Amino acid sequence: MKNKRSSIKRRNQNEENWKSLRTTRDDLSLDRTLPTGQSFRWQKVEEYDENDENEKKYSTYVGVIGRRVVQIRERMEFEEEEEKSYETTTIEFRVLNTNESNICKNEDKENGEQEEEQVTKDVRAYFNLDDPIPLKDLFEQFSKADPYRFGRLSAYVRGARTLRQPPAECLISFVCSSNNNIARIKKMVESLCEKYGEELVCNVSSRSRSRSSGSSGRDDDEENEVNDKEEINESKIYHAFPTVEQLAEKCDEQTLRDLGFGYRAKFIPAMAKELVKRGGEAYLLKLRDAPQTEEEKYRAITELTSLPGVGPKVAGCAALFSLDKKSVVPVDTHVWQLAREHFDPNGELASMETTASTTKGSANEEGAEQQRHKESSTPTTPTKQKDKPLSITPKMMKKCEEMLVSIYGAYAGYAHTALFVAELPTVRESLPEHLRTPTKADKKRGEKNGEKKPEKKKRKFLKVDGENKSDDDGA
DNA sequence: TGTCGACCTGCATT
DNA sequence: AAATGCAGGTCGA
């Protein structure tokens, strides 16, 4: 309560800095893009609406793009026209750190304007907003190509975009992602930035309820959370993602182990050094800017895979999320599961599971039937084997990727992102039940009590129908 | 060429 | 309450 006033004060001060990203919510949904495991650097931050007497909260995201701390929001407006009211959403951003844009504006008008242009350009690029085809149109194409799955899903994943991140940052982040969960990946990436990345100073800090993951503990100097008097001069320090040169020079395995990187600790310094040897970020940018041919796509994947800690999955992510290889479909456990569930009527994928690792008792019914004849030697008896986690072999990845590319075409990677996003817990919750891919837990439950028990806790704020609502909103 | 076990950590479930 | 499972996998044998 006491904080609100100050919060508003600060907002007034900066309200004019917001700029439009010049896109629409059909093309970009922040909730379905920023926290969905593409980038691990975005934090949700609540702010207050100064124009609303009730001081309604709205959410924004704060993250770092290059050397700029960027805050983004979706601002909703209600307009009335001829007795009808329209709701429009404007997506806006502003730069929070002072090193970059705000300073020169006063000094030098022209440079300032130039800089503003550049900022917008860079942020739009980060979101791939200069694609020749709007995401909305792509989704329509995908829906047409795949009415059964994508068509039914598209309303719920509207605006789920594929990002275009700085290559080294993307690559290194995904090296951290192996055999790991998103929460910890975020923590690792954040600590990497704090340890080695350039400081980015922001003069405005909104009081983010979300415990700022990285630096909650040591609040730098700060003594002013005592009362709301001088918060206007609060400064908050963010960090750029370290350059490969910085990492190659300064970072070592032991330090990273101490930071909790586990066995991935050795990969990062090794990779940084190798990348520097190959020409640093420029080397990766060359892979990005190569002609968009199949050949160059494979070259990029091959090059990446030869880096320490980079296998086919990580290479795929880097290629799709940072190197403009838009037809790449990185196949991980989630993608495999959803493909097997929705795109495998003949059980081709399912049959590959058991040939690879004879365990995994859960192979679905049809799959099991299909398999039966393939397996005369290995006892399939699902009972006693100790459920090894399903590991996905390169062969399986290839098959799965080919399958999805054959459906979605040159932008299959974008379709993949949307399909993947639909599997994330928050989005999944918003789906009508019949569109939810069964989780392993679901299946286990099903086996256990003969497909009986539906489920226990069920939210019921969902709309009833859900088949073709234009919208829902994922707050 | 393809398969298998080991590998760090931390949060959730049993 | 200790044990086990599981996370957007990769490496070396």
Side-chain angles (χ1 to χ4, degrees), chain A residues 30 134 139 233 235 308 313 327 344 367 373 430 439-440 469 473:
Chain A
L30 300 180
F139 275 25
N233 291 330
S235 71
K313 158 62 171 55
S327 69
D344 191 27
H373 53 75
S430 75
T439 63
K440 282 171 218 162
K469 334 181 329 186
D473 119 280

Side-chain angles (χ1 to χ4, degrees), chain A residues 360 362 387 439-451:
Chain A
K360 193 48 196 176
S362 74
D387 254 12
T439 63
K440 282 171 218 162
D442 287 337
K443 295 189 172 181
K444 211 153 100 184
R445 240 198 319 276
E447 286 172 13
K448 215 168 178 174
N449 32 36
E451 205 57 78

Side-chain angles (χ1 to χ4, degrees), chain A residues 340 350-351 353-354 359-369 371 380 382 443 447:
Chain A
R340 219 196 48 159
S351 70
E353 283 185 2
T354 48
T359 51
K360 193 48 196 176
S362 74
N364 65 24
E365 238 94 315
E366 318 94 301
E369 319 249 4
Q371 280 138 226
T380 316
K443 295 189 172 181
E447 286 172 13

Side-chain angles (χ1 to χ4, degrees), chain A residues 25-179:
Chain A
R25 56 187 218 142
D26 285 332
D27 270 8
L28 173 59
S29 156
L30 300 180
D31 284 327
R32 291 164 191 161
T33 302
L34 264 9
T36 56
Q38 298 185 58
S39 165
F40 302 95
R41 296 218 62 195
W42 293 91
Q43 239 194 314
K44 202 163 188 170
V45 171
E46 305 293 341
E47 295 251 353
Y48 296 97
D49 188 338
E50 64 175 52
N51 294 320
D52 187 331
E53 280 307 313
N54 299 322
E55 303 180 346
K56 205 174 52 188
K57 280 201 293 192
Y58 66 94
S59 62
T60 74
Y61 285 89
V62 178
V64 177
I65 301 177
R67 299 164 70 176
R68 302 191 186 97
V69 180
V70 176
Q71 182 174 28
I72 312 188
R73 69 179 181 188
E74 292 172 12
R75 187 166 54 83
M76 277 192 278
E77 286 177 311
F78 299 93
E79 294 174 15
E80 306 225 353
E81 244 176 59
E82 300 166 7
E83 300 179 355
K84 284 184 178 178
S85 66
Y86 300 91
E87 178 190 313
T88 61
T89 302
T90 309
I91 298 166
E92 301 170 321
F93 72 96
R94 63 181 176 183
V95 175
L96 297 183
N97 58 142
T98 46
N99 349 18
E100 200 60 35
S101 74
N102 298 337
I103 280 181
C104 58
K105 208 166 9 181
N106 301 328
E107 311 272 321
D108 183 338
K109 192 90 176 186
E110 281 189 25
N111 278 351
E113 282 170 14
Q114 230 169 3
E115 167 67 12
E116 293 236 335
E117 284 296 305
Q118 191 58 45
V119 175
T120 305
K121 220 172 124 193
D122 292 346
V123 178
R124 283 181 59 82
Y126 182 86
F127 283 97
N128 259 323
L129 283 169
D130 296 314
D131 277 336
I133 311 174
L135 189 67
K136 187 186 183 197
D137 296 353
L138 283 175
F139 275 25
E140 279 166 20
Q141 287 178 211
F142 297 154
S143 296
K144 202 183 258 179
D146 168 28
Y148 175 72
R149 182 62 184 169
F150 204 102
R152 294 183 208 217
L153 223 43
S154 65
Y156 301 93
V157 293
R158 169 186 50 77
R161 270 196 99 75
T162 303
L163 296 174
R164 184 180 196 259
Q165 303 175 52
E169 168 177 345
C170 185
L171 190 53
I172 291 164
S173 298
F174 276 98
V175 166
C176 298
S177 79
S178 82
N179 198 14

Side-chain angles (χ1 to χ4, degrees), chain A residues 167-299:
Chain A
E169 168 177 345
C170 185
L171 190 53
I172 291 164
S173 298
F174 276 98
V175 166
C176 298
S177 79
S178 82
N179 198 14
N180 205 351
N181 60 70
I182 291 187
R184 182 152 80 113
I185 299 165
K186 267 186 169 158
K187 236 181 280 180
M188 288 162 61
V189 169
E190 216 46 58
S191 61
L192 193 67
C193 294
E194 278 177 28
K195 186 80 180 176
Y196 301 108
E198 178 185 349
E199 287 194 350
L200 306 171
V201 182
C202 303
N203 58 356
V204 177
S205 109
S206 52
R207 32 198 69 258
S208 51
R209 292 307 178 297
S210 51
R211 57 216 102 102
S212 55
S213 58
S215 58
S216 58
R218 55 134 188 73
D219 264 11
D220 302 323
D221 21 346
E222 232 82 76
E223 62 194 21
N224 46 2
E225 65 170 335
V226 192
N227 51 17
D228 31 18
K229 198 60 191 280
E230 45 200 305
E231 291 138 50
I232 287 193
N233 291 330
E234 247 177 68
S235 71
K236 184 166 168 71
I237 298 185
Y238 288 80
H239 295 266
F241 197 95
T243 64
V244 288
E245 286 79 12
Q246 288 170 324
L247 290 176
E249 187 188 346
K250 291 193 260 175
C251 111
D252 65 289
E253 174 175 354
Q254 190 51 53
T255 308
L256 294 187
R257 277 194 179 266
D258 295 343
L259 286 175
F261 279 63
Y263 63 80
R264 308 159 196 83
K266 62 174 175 293
F267 294 142
I268 288 161
M271 166 191 284
K273 290 188 174 83
E274 178 59 26
L275 279 176
V276 169
K277 198 186 296 179
R278 296 187 192 181
E281 184 93 16
Y283 157 73
L284 295 171
L285 290 173
K286 217 163 63 190
L287 296 178
R288 170 192 273 179
D289 294 333
Q292 302 300 331
T293 62
E294 286 296 287
E295 190 190 350
E296 289 299 331
K297 182 175 91 179
Y298 290 124
R299 180 201 304 289

